Amino acid sequence: MSRFYARRRLSILATLSALVASVALFNAPSASAALPTPVSGATARGYLSQLTVATENRTGYSRDLFPLWITISGACNTRETVLKRDGSNVVTDSACAATSGSWYSQYDGATWTAASDLDIDHLVPLAEAWDSGASKWTTAQRQAFANDLTRPQLIAVTDNVNQAKGDQDPATWMPSRTAYRCTYVRAWVQVKYYYNLSVDTAEKSALTNYLASC
């Protein structure tokens, strides 16, 4: 093969590679806002070492003790605010309800075009918070936790995935999308650290193992 044809073949291959890359980029989930970026793996490991290890206690828990979906701005409550934040091209009506848009669920990699297919997950579940210290909080403190848009605590995800997670901690449940697990545990530890919540033995072990590779 002559040098001319060799160079031509390499040029064609480079062009095809660039085309494939651009197609992959086009087909990837469109960029959109998401939950606040959690602390780094190193910081999360440091936080985890400072969390109190204690047995959990669910006595007296009720979801009603955590006032949900307060007004954030105008007609928009917390759920609607997260849907707008986490979606792409979200259109809302006069009541701030999402009428169209696209949402990529970080937990399972599914994309949805109807807001009704999404739940707003409390990354650290309300019951888990109660078990690990929130039972001693005031109602105002529990409301702040349940509607926290500043920490990486609220995220729009596939509804049945959120329901399958329930009130489980990382010892028994993790996102099926492995690429998101490092983000998930970093966020979990950051939220628990900020709110001075404890961890149980199995939870700390799981978090330690996952954070080792973050």
Side-chain angles (χ1 to χ4, degrees):
M1 180 182 296
S2 70
R3 291 182 179 178
F4 171 77
Y5 285 108
R7 286 196 300 270
R8 185 180 180 188
R9 183 180 181 187
L10 287 173
S11 177
I12 292 171
L13 287 173
T15 301
L16 287 173
S17 296
L19 180 61
V20 169
S22 65
V23 170
L25 180 62
F26 180 78
N27 289 331
S30 57
S32 63
L35 85 170
T37 302
V39 296
S40 68
T43 299
R45 287 189 289 273
Y47 284 176
L48 180 59
S49 70
Q50 299 176 59
L51 295 182
T52 299
V53 178
T55 302
E56 296 181 348
N57 184 352
R58 191 159 300 185
T59 303
Y61 170 72
S62 169
R63 188 175 177 86
D64 294 338
L65 294 170
F66 292 79
L68 287 171
W69 309 158
I70 61 173
T71 299
I72 300 299
S73 177
C76 302
N77 65 23
T78 314
R79 171 183 165 82
E80 293 155 350
T81 300
V82 175
L83 284 173
K84 289 171 67 177
R85 183 198 70 186
D86 290 2
S88 297
N89 303 316
V90 177
V91 176
T92 58
D93 61 19
S94 59
C96 202
T99 57
S100 64
S102 176
W103 291 268
Y104 179 75
S105 172
Q106 295 285 359
Y107 287 1
D108 57 329
T111 298
W112 303 98
T113 56
S116 59
D117 288 320
L118 297 141
D119 279 354
I120 306 304
D121 180 44
H122 289 90
L123 197 136
V124 174
L126 303 181
E128 169 68 24
W130 178 272
D131 297 350
S132 51
S135 60
K136 300 180 179 67
W137 294 352
T138 65
T139 299
Q141 288 173 314
R142 288 192 286 268
Q143 175 176 292
F145 177 84
N147 298 276
D148 188 352
L149 295 168
T150 304
R151 262 61 55 181
Q153 164 66 349
L154 297 172
I155 184 171
V157 296
T158 303
D159 53 3
N160 60 357
V161 171
N162 180 54
Q163 291 152 25
K165 171 188 172 180
D167 56 13
Q168 298 180 80
D169 68 32
T172 55
W173 188 92
M174 284 290 285
S176 61
R177 184 169 164 260
T178 56
Y180 199 67
R181 290 180 175 177
C182 182
T183 300
Y184 186 82
V185 292
R186 284 157 46 213
W188 183 283
V189 171
Q190 179 179 346
V191 171
K192 282 228 159 176
Y193 179 84
Y194 180 83
Y195 284 100
N196 196 28
L197 296 171
S198 64
V199 290
D200 63 31
T201 302
E203 178 187 356
K204 182 171 183 177
S205 178
L207 290 167
T208 300
N209 291 337
Y210 283 115
L211 283 172
S213 59
C214 287

